Structure formats: C-alpha cells, structure tokens
Amino acid sequence: MDYTQVLILVLSFIIFLSLRVPIAYSIGLAALFTLVVSLPLVPALTTLAQRMATSLDSFALLAIPFFILAGQVMNRGGIATRLIDFAKAVVGPLPGGLAFVNIIACMLFGAISGSAVAAASAIGGFMNPMMEKEGYDKSFSAAVNITSATTGLIIPPSNILIIYSLASGGVSIAALFLAGYVPGILIGLALMLVAAIYSYIKKYPTEKSVGFKIFFKRFIAAFPSLLLLVIVIGGIVAGIFTATEASAIAVIYTFALAFVYKEITLKDVPSILLETVKTNAIVMLLIATSVAMSWVMSYESIPQEISAGLLAISDNPIIILIIINLILLFVGVFMDMTPAVLIFTPIFLPIVTDIGIDPIHFGIIMIMNLCIGLCTPPVGSVLFVGCGVANLSIQKVVRPLLPLFLVMIAVLIIITYAPDLSLWLPRVFGF
C-alpha cells in the first residue's frame, strides 16, 4: 500500500480538526487532498461531488429528517413532563429514586425521540433542579442525565442505526431496531445499579409512594407517548410499513399529540420546522462528506490493508474484537457519531464478518462504543449539553461520571462477547 495517501488523509484531517474547522468540512477536505494525489484536480473534485450527491440518494435516509422533526415536536410538546411523572410513580420510592426517574425518563424520551441531545436537554432541564431541591449533588444529577441520555440511540427508533444500515450496505433496519432493545435496557439497569449504590452511600432521600389511583392516572397520561414506540416498531416488524414510512407516521402522531396536550400551537410550527431543517442540514452534510471519505479510502484500498493487518495480528475473534472496541472507544472521544459510523463501518465490517460476527451484532457493538464517546470531551455533544443544562463545568461532572463510564464499558464487554443478547429478538421475529 502507498502510505503517502494514508498520511495525507490522517494528517490533513487532524490538522483541520485542530484548527477548529467544522468536522464535515474537515472530512471533505481531507478526502479531497487524498484523492488529488491519485487524480488530477478537476476529476478529483468532480468525483468527490458526485459521491457526495449520490450518497444522499437513498430512500432509507428520508427517515432521518422525519424522526428529527418528530423529536423536535416531542421536545416542545409536553411529553417529557408526562414521562417524568410516570417514572416517579414507578421507581420514586426506591433508594436513589429520583436518579432512577432521571434514567428511566431519559431512556423513554430518548427512545421515543431518537435523540440523545434532546433527552439530555429535555429531561435534564426538568430533573436537575428537582434532584438538587431534594438534596442530590448537582454534579451527580448531571452525570446521571448525560450517561442515560445515550440509551435512546440504542433503544429504537434510532437515526444512527439507520445510518449504520446505509454504511453496512443494507443490514435490515427492523432487525437492528429489535437488536437494540436488550443492550439499551441493560445499560439503563446498570446505570440504575450505580445510582442506587451512590445514593445509598450519600443517603439521598426517596420519594413517597403514590397510591394506585395516582399511579393509574399518570400511566394514562403517559400512555399516548409510550404508544408511539409500539406503533413505530410494531408496524415495521409486522411489515405494515417501512422505517421511512414509520418516521412520517411518527411526525403525524407527535403533532396530533402535542396539539391535544395544547403544548404547541400553529404559531410554533415554523420555528419547529426551522430547527429541524438546521439539524437535518448538519446531519446530511456529515453523511455526504463521510461517505465520500469512505469511497476515497476504498479507492486507495485502505480498508483491505487494515483488515489484512488486523488479521495478521490474530485471527482469534476475542482479540480482534478487543482491538476494534479499543479503536472505536478512542475514535468516539474525538469524532462525532455519524461520521464515525460512516467511515469505520466499511473498514471493520469485512473484518468481523470474516471471523463470523453477525453484522447486526456488530452494529450494536459499534453504536454502544460511540455512545460512550458522546459523554467524553473534547467532542462529546451530550456531555456539553448536559453540563450546559445543569450550568456546570465539565471538570465538576467528571468525577461522578467515572463509575457510570465504567459500568457502561462493562455492559459493552458483556454485549460484545454474548451475541445472543443482541440477536435473540431479531431471531424470534425471523431475521
């Protein structure tokens, strides 16, 4: 392999990032500089532009703007408060009850909205002041909110699983959605265990038990929001509609729900649409430039050489998965999730399939790795949002974050080496 192209690709990307060039532009320019070594400037520009344009010509990608819009509506439509009230009725009386409420509300809201950032901002905005008022340490509340918000990227519907399906060459979105349930719930339970121990040591207060009447009332209030998960996932798995069609149904349903709750009026719709367009533009540009970079790497045979190099180290699946997990954890610290999935899936997927790893299982492993990266500086978007909502510096949140990080990594190891935890639900439904 000609290492000139590899050095240009890596060094130019690192230099642009260090100069604080936005990551989408850094990826695109690094890909262009690398391609110019092999092709004249005009053909290189034309090829890169063509690859960026064709990368977005996908029916499956149409689901992303719709799910983003649905998430924006949920964020403004009063759904968060109803989920929090329901979670308080379920787990409030347990040790560390409000921490449990934070975690469960983030899991539910993140799963429904498909956005970790939306979960961190919406749930954190309600829960952090509430937990502080009850005597919880402010930094601990923020740490719980930050880590639990990422579960919504594993529990479907999840935009990043759709992007993985695109990058992998067509792994079933429905199968990926089903595969995310058990790992996502395991992470939530593990975070709750740490929160319970921490709360017991710190002697944090618990909520009073609510009677059946109040519990039932809160369940009924939250039920329409929870029903969205059943409609979207159930419809996809049953074959009633595709993931893209499900995303459009999610938009219609969430708008109807928000208007029924009277949390949104027609005057709010333009600002919601504008925010959706802004977010979608960022995501789509990242997808376009990342796919272009993936094509350049493939053109230069970089994935094949990396695959051969890793397999030369060992052909033991355990060793290979350890190496890949370490690389992805490192990548997640410095790179946002969307470009990381689009760039590294074509590199690692052929390697893991050669050693007998199911592409569905590997997709969950990859997303779990990168979710941990969302909680770490310098690129951890959920970390920044969570700290911003709590009005805390990152330094103050790091200490209570560490045990939560460790338990997330422990669950990652379990999921990595116990593939049935990811694959049994897809197999039950015939995938």
Side-chain angles (χ1 to χ4, degrees):
M1 184 174 73
D2 186 354
Y3 288 97
T4 304
Q5 284 89 338
V6 178
L7 287 173
I8 291 172
L9 182 70
V10 174
L11 289 177
S12 60
F13 180 60
I14 292 172
I15 289 169
F16 283 126
L17 281 182
S18 64
L19 293 173
R20 296 188 177 181
V21 176
I23 189 166
Y25 295 107
S26 300
I27 292 169
L29 289 170
L32 176 61
F33 286 179
T34 306
L35 197 57
V36 165
V37 175
S38 303
L39 297 175
L41 179 59
V42 174
L45 283 168
T46 305
T47 302
L48 208 65
Q50 182 188 49
R51 293 293 166 181
M52 288 175 65
T54 55
S55 69
L56 300 179
D57 184 17
S58 168
F59 182 70
L61 281 182
L62 190 60
I64 293 176
F66 280 121
F67 277 130
I68 291 173
L69 176 56
Q72 291 289 342
V73 176
M74 293 172 197
N75 207 13
R76 305 261 294 266
I79 291 172
T81 52
R82 288 163 176 82
L83 293 176
I84 288 171
D85 287 342
F86 175 59
K88 282 173 67 177
V90 175
V91 296
L94 299 175
L98 281 183
F100 285 13
V101 172
N102 199 332
I103 293 167
I104 292 176
C106 278
M107 290 172 68
L108 292 173
F109 190 84
I112 292 169
S113 68
S115 170
V117 170
S121 58
I123 304 301
F126 283 100
M127 289 303 305
N128 288 341
M130 189 184 302
M131 292 177 71
E132 188 181 3
K133 184 179 177 181
E134 293 296 324
Y136 285 77
D137 185 64
K138 195 174 181 181
S139 59
F140 171 69
S141 303
V144 168
N145 176 246
I146 289 164
T147 49
S148 59
T150 61
T151 57
L153 298 174
I154 305 168
I155 302 172
S158 167
N159 288 337
I160 199 64
L161 289 176
I162 297 172
I163 291 171
Y164 172 79
S165 173
L166 169 75
S168 65
V171 173
S172 168
I173 294 174
L176 287 167
F177 279 3
L178 289 169
Y181 275 112
V182 173
I185 292 170
L186 281 177
I187 290 178
L189 291 173
L191 293 174
M192 290 170 73
L193 176 63
V194 173
I197 295 170
Y198 193 96
S199 299
Y200 179 78
I201 293 171
K202 294 285 185 176
K203 294 182 170 55
Y204 289 143
T206 59
E207 289 275 302
K208 292 182 179 179
S209 298
V210 298
F212 177 78
K213 187 176 180 180
I214 295 176
F215 176 87
F216 185 71
K217 184 179 178 181
R218 292 182 180 180
F219 171 73
I220 293 299
F223 180 75
S225 304
L226 299 173
L227 189 61
L228 178 62
L229 285 174
V230 179
I231 293 172
V232 171
I233 306 304
I236 294 171
V237 172
I240 299 171
F241 38 70
T242 65
T244 305
E245 292 163 346
S247 65
I249 290 169
V251 170
I252 296 170
Y253 185 87
T254 51
F255 263 118
L257 205 57
F259 282 119
V260 168
Y261 287 159
K262 296 182 180 179
E263 300 279 352
I264 287 178
T265 65
L266 288 175
K267 291 180 181 179
D268 298 317
V269 173
S271 63
I272 291 172
L273 293 175
L274 180 61
E275 197 62 37
T276 300
V277 170
K278 288 179 182 178
T279 305
N280 187 60
I282 295 169
V283 172
M284 289 302 170
L285 183 59
L286 277 170
I287 291 173
T289 54
S290 300
V291 171
M293 179 183 269
S294 297
W295 182 87
V296 170
M297 289 192 298
S298 179
Y299 181 77
E300 301 294 347
S301 300
I302 294 172
Q304 293 86 338
E305 293 296 332
I306 292 174
S307 175
L310 278 177
L311 292 174
I313 296 172
S314 173
D315 58 358
N316 187 325
I318 295 174
I319 303 299
I320 294 294
L321 285 173
I322 289 173
I323 295 170
I324 290 175
N325 273 330
L326 290 173
I327 293 172
L328 288 174
L329 284 170
F330 179 77
V331 165
V333 171
F334 297 99
M335 188 179 289
D336 196 32
M337 183 174 275
T338 298
V341 168
L342 288 164
I343 291 170
F344 288 94
T345 298
I347 294 175
F348 291 137
L349 190 58
I351 300 172
V352 297
T353 51
D354 282 347
I355 59 175
I357 306 298
D358 192 293
I360 298 170
H361 178 217
F362 179 68
I364 301 301
I365 293 173
M366 173 173 270
I367 303 308
M368 288 182 71
N369 271 290
L370 298 174
C371 279
I372 295 171
L374 292 177
C375 306
T376 57
V379 187
S381 55
V382 178
L383 174 66
F384 294 134
V385 169
C387 289
V389 169
N391 196 23
L392 287 171
S393 65
I394 292 173
Q395 290 83 354
K396 290 183 178 178
V397 178
V398 166
R399 188 172 178 181
L401 268 177
L402 288 177
L404 298 166
F405 276 148
L406 292 175
V407 79
M408 290 176 78
I409 291 172
V411 174
L412 169 64
I413 294 169
I414 293 169
I415 295 299
T416 299
Y417 295 109
D420 286 342
L421 291 172
S422 301
L423 297 176
W424 78 272
L425 256 183
R427 286 169 180 164
V428 166
F429 285 91
F431 291 101

